Structure formats: structure tokens, C-alpha cells
Amino acid sequence: MSTGSFRLRLCGRLRLEIDGERREGRLRGRQGRLLFAFLVLHRDRPARRDELLEALAPQEGAAPQPGALPPVLSRLRAAI
């Protein structure tokens, strides 16, 4: 278990710092930031795939693209 430091700012410009290293740049793009924010805000429970896809939808009522989720999750895992 890591005992390092973790800092996060979701209001305003996203900022993610782990053990003194800035990592928000690794989230690469709007979808990575959206998914990260969604997961942080809902960290008290498991998130379903359909919820994650809805979080990535570009606008209200837009059809989520299932193929968009795996690469975004992969980049998110690498970033954190």
C-alpha cells in the first residue's frame, strides 16, 4: 500500500498530483478528464460500463460509443 501524497482539484482547471508529480497531462483530452472526474465523484461505489459510456457522451442525449471506453480507461490507468 502506498503512503505517498495525493492532491486533486476538480473545480476550475483539473489538477492531479501524485507523490509530487503532476499527472493531469497524462489524462490526454476531454474524455480522460471527464471519466476521471466521474470516477472520483462516484468513488463510493462501483461504476457500471453504461454509466462510464454516458459520462463520455459529448452531449445530453447523444448515443455513447462503446469502442471509446477501452482506450480512455487504459490511458487513465497509466496516468494514475
Side-chain angles (χ1 to χ4, degrees), residues 1-3 5-6 8 11 16-21 24-25 31 38 41 51 54 58 61 63 65-67 73 75:
M1 182 175 182
S2 174
T3 58
S5 67
F6 180 87
L8 174 65
C11 294
L16 171 61
E17 188 176 306
I18 301 174
D19 294 331
E21 179 186 352
E24 66 271 8
Q31 288 185 327
F38 178 88
L41 292 171
E51 290 179 302
E54 282 183 31
Q65 300 297 318
L73 282 174
R75 287 192 304 267

Side-chain angles (χ1 to χ4, degrees), residues 35 38-39 47-56 69 73:
L35 191 59
F38 178 88
L39 290 169
R48 298 184 323 267
R49 287 185 76 81
D50 63 318
E51 290 179 302
L52 299 178
L53 285 169
E54 282 183 31
L56 294 179
L69 189 56
L73 282 174

